[in-house]
């Protein structure tokens, strides 16, 4: 017969980290992912259990208790950024603006003159609770990367979206939890204003100005195999590109418009 657990074993099992559910992963390729954090916490729990020392479980406390406006919050936050990729930090909603039927712009407070310190292409992860289910999603702030004292996000809410149900309840003064930043890629804008200033190896295959039908045909015909084309732009741009691609022999099933 299996041996009954002692009270001590039951206590330790109650302290064991719970494996995340799929809804808790935002799918944004975050490093660390919530599953990485779980593995880290599980290893910490296993070390503490092996040594029968519960103090090892509290070596690093999460900084999710205080909103930035709280007097003690600044002491918990990094001097370089108020964000932390490993733990969630609380931020207060300072304004809510409805821009369209289902699109809202939210502004959040940052302590003092601090900034998110985001680089190009980075995003942050939001945590919400909907009907007892924890959900996480990734969003990219629309405020300037060097904005001081605040940051803003623009969110489209979907009627059937789990996170949307949570977001639509926000009002001024609510506390919301974010972690990050994640992602990003190196980008250095050139100062180049003409083909003559480009390195010679780039000049031959570089074009300036708006794409046109002839140029599109030239590009398509230079491909060794028929390409799959991704289009993202204004409605007028998308319509033009679709027409040019069709003229170049690219069918609709070989295009995707964002």
């Amino acid at each position: 017969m299996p041996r009954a657990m002692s009270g001590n074993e039951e206590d330790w099992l109650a302290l064991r980290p719970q494996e995340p559910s799929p809804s808790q992963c935002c799918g944004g390729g975050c490093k660390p992912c919530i599953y990485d954090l779980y593995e880290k916490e599980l290893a910490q729990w296993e070390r503490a259990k092996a040594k029968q020392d519960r103090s090892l479980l509290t070596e690093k406390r999460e900084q999710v208790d205080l909103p930035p406006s709280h007097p003690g919050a600044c002491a918990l936050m990094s001097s370089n950024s108020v964000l932390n990729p490993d733990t969630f930090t609380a931020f207060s909603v300072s304004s809510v603006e409805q821009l369209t039927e289902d699109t809202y712009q939210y502004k959040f407070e940052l302590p003092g003159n601090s900034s998110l310190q985001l680089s190009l292409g980075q995003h942050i992860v939001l945590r919400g609770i909907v009907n007892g289910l924890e959900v996480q999603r990734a969003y990219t702030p629309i405020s300037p990367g060097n904005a001081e004292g605040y940051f803003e996000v623009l969110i489209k809410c979907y009627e059937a979206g789990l996170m949307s149900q949570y977001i639509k309840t926000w009002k001024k003064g609510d506390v919301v939890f974010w972690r990050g930043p994640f992602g990003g890629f190196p980008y250095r804008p050139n100062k180049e204003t003409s083909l003559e200033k480009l390195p010679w190896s780039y000049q031959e295959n570089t074009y300036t100005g708006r794409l046109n039908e002839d140029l599109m045909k030239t590009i398509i015909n230079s491909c060794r195999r028929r390409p799959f084309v991704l289009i993202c732009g204004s409605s007028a741009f998308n319509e033009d590109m679709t027409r040019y691609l069709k003229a170049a022999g690219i069918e609709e099933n070989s295009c995707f418009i964002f």
Side-chain angles (χ1 to χ4, degrees):
M1 294 180 63
R3 181 174 61 89
M5 289 188 297
S6 67
N8 186 52
E9 287 176 315
E10 291 178 347
D11 291 343
W12 276 104
L13 285 178
L15 295 172
R16 192 181 193 275
Q18 185 175 358
E19 185 174 0
S21 65
S23 68
Q24 291 176 273
C25 179
C26 70
C30 307
K31 291 294 181 182
C33 173
I34 190 169
Y35 287 100
D36 298 327
L37 298 178
Y38 164 70
E39 293 295 337
K40 182 178 179 181
E41 292 173 357
L42 181 61
Q44 186 177 14
W45 176 82
E46 289 174 341
R47 288 194 301 271
K49 183 175 182 294
K51 295 184 178 181
Q52 293 293 297
D53 184 355
R54 298 190 186 187
S55 67
L56 297 177
L57 297 175
T58 57
E59 287 180 342
K60 184 177 180 181
R61 296 182 60 186
E62 289 194 356
Q63 54 185 54
V64 299
D65 298 317
L66 302 177
S69 57
H70 190 284
C74 293
L76 295 174
M77 298 177 179
S78 166
S79 59
N80 295 323
S81 173
V82 294
L83 284 169
N84 188 315
D86 295 321
T87 61
F88 284 95
T89 302
F91 297 92
S92 294
V93 178
S94 59
S95 68
V96 177
E97 182 179 1
Q98 184 171 359
L99 302 183
T100 69
E101 181 180 356
D102 56 6
T103 305
Y104 301 81
Q105 184 167 323
Y106 299 94
K107 189 173 185 179
F108 296 88
E109 294 179 6
L110 293 178
N113 293 323
S114 60
S115 171
L116 287 187
Q117 302 289 331
L118 298 185
S119 62
L120 187 68
Q122 288 193 306
H123 63 271
I124 56 180
V125 172
L126 169 69
R127 181 181 70 186
I129 305 294
V130 182
N131 298 325
L133 180 68
E134 181 175 314
V135 184
Q136 296 187 24
R137 295 289 184 270
Y139 297 95
T140 301
I142 63 170
S143 46
N146 59 354
E148 297 181 346
Y150 76 96
F151 71 93
E152 295 174 305
V153 291
L154 183 65
I155 301 177
K156 181 179 178 67
C157 292
Y158 297 89
E159 185 176 349
L162 280 176
M163 184 63 84
S164 295
Q165 295 176 37
Y166 166 63
I167 290 172
K168 286 193 291 187
T169 68
W170 290 352
K171 59 184 181 301
K172 183 176 180 180
D174 284 349
V175 173
V176 176
F177 295 94
W178 298 90
R179 72 180 177 102
F182 301 103
F185 54 89
Y187 172 74
R188 294 181 181 177
N190 60 57
K191 305 305 176 244
E192 316 301 353
T193 57
S194 66
L195 295 180
E196 290 71 26
K197 292 185 179 181
L198 288 173
W200 68 267
S201 58
Y202 287 88
Q203 291 183 17
E204 183 178 352
N205 295 316
T206 300
Y207 303 88
T208 60
R210 185 179 177 85
L211 288 171
N212 55 46
E213 184 174 328
D214 290 338
L215 179 55
M216 187 65 72
K217 288 181 178 178
T218 299
I219 295 173
I220 296 300
N221 291 333
S222 69
C223 297
R224 287 180 293 180
R225 64 180 72 176
R226 274 300 189 237
F228 185 79
V229 184
L230 307 177
I231 305 173
C232 182
S234 66
S235 57
F237 175 85
N238 293 345
E239 290 173 4
D240 287 345
M241 294 306 105
T242 302
R243 187 170 65 257
Y244 298 160
L245 288 168
K246 186 175 182 179
I250 302 297
E251 301 298 329
E252 289 187 8
N253 59 4
S254 294
C255 301
F256 182 81
I257 300 178
F258 291 90

